Amino acid sequence: MKMLCIDGGGIRGVFAISILKEIEQEFKKPIVELFDVIAGTSTGAIVAASIIMNNKMTDVLNLYRKNGAKIFIPKAKIGLFKSVYSDEYLRSYLQDAFGHITLKDIRKPLLIPAVNVTKGRPYIHRSNYGHHLSKDMDVKLWDAVLSSCSAPVYFPPNNIDNKYLSIDGGLWANNPSMVCITEALSHFNKELSDIQIMSVGTGLQNIDFTIDDNKYWGVKKWLPFQLSSMKVTPKLIDLALNLSSESVSFHCSQLLKSNYLRINQDLGKEVPFDDITSIGSLIELGQKVFQEQKSEITHFFNEKL
């Protein structure tokens, strides 16, 4: 069973899309035809849903370029009394992209981690492939994706039909690989040896918390305010997402050994998830990484389990 897992990471999702675009062009098939299961968290949920809808990665990349600056228009400087960004444009973008499609309409296995913050529990939006926990089949695809994208402080929680509030799945599954392993074992009754995962990251950041004389860190340290840009830097959230992704990667590689292919790259610096100025360089880096790991990627698709 071949499974694709796409990390969260805000605008850094263009790195993952760039790699997937190269794969699509290299193997001359839509990404959706290359995998049995698709999973994505936060920005990865947008990409995963686009794949399920059989959208070309070139088109998805162009939409990120077109809409990134509009999504990340600050509504507040620090997010103390309201979210830094409104979800109005993101919501509109997702509604336009996915229309009236519900989870019930999707038969290909799709997994979108989120958080039911009303009950304080992890949650997985699943498409209509027979899982007994798939109880929210009438939820619109765009609504499920928006839930997984609603990073605390930066975007408001997403209200799901006035039943519960949902926030970013990256809080517990920024890399959804372990979600996929669990699904393969518990629902599809596969053995570990039957599972093959391609896990695509959104870049490894060098997040620096420099030692100083102040040991009593507050909001100013964890979420520093940049006077030049007049906005807060999501340092704490980026750190948490990085740690989540890389710890999951390590455990999955231990479980699956060579059947786990992680595609990621050290960025060498901090690239906050709302840094739209980095789009071009991230796309180029994705192309470079594909070429560097091309032989591994080719082996992944050629290997029969």
Side-chain angles (χ1 to χ4, degrees), residues 74-87 149-157 167-168 171 219 222-223 232-237 273-274:
K75 299 296 181 182
K77 292 179 180 178
I78 301 178
L80 189 59
F81 299 108
K82 61 180 179 179
S83 59
V84 174
Y85 301 110
S86 166
D87 66 355
C149 291
S150 299
V153 178
Y154 290 89
F155 288 105
I167 60 174
D168 196 337
L171 293 178
V219 172
W222 292 112
L223 300 170
V232 68
T233 302
K235 216 166 182 179
L236 176 59
I237 294 177
F273 69 76
D274 56 353

Side-chain angles (χ1 to χ4, degrees), residues 91 116 118 139 143 158-166:
R91 181 184 296 268
N116 179 337
T118 300
V139 170
D143 225 356
N158 186 33
N159 187 324
I160 301 289
D161 297 327
N162 286 322
K163 295 177 181 177
Y164 60 92
L165 296 175
S166 188

Side-chain angles (χ1 to χ4, degrees), residues 5-78:
C5 301
I6 310 163
D7 282 21
I11 204 64
R12 294 194 307 274
V14 298
F15 170 78
I17 300 169
S18 179
I19 292 168
L20 294 170
K21 179 174 79 72
E22 295 297 316
I23 291 174
E24 208 164 55
Q25 292 175 346
E26 177 70 21
F27 295 95
K28 295 178 173 56
K29 282 186 177 182
I31 295 296
V32 71
E33 294 182 13
L34 295 171
F35 296 92
D36 302 303
V37 178
I38 311 291
T41 303
S42 196
T43 194
I46 300 176
V47 183
S50 300
I51 290 169
I52 284 290
M53 297 295 291
N54 202 17
N55 294 334
K56 292 182 179 179
M57 292 296 97
T58 299
D59 295 336
V60 177
L61 197 55
N62 288 337
L63 285 172
Y64 264 66
R65 280 171 160 157
K66 176 183 176 182
N67 294 291
K70 299 173 183 177
I71 290 170
F72 292 111
I73 297 176
K75 299 296 181 182
K77 292 179 180 178
I78 301 178

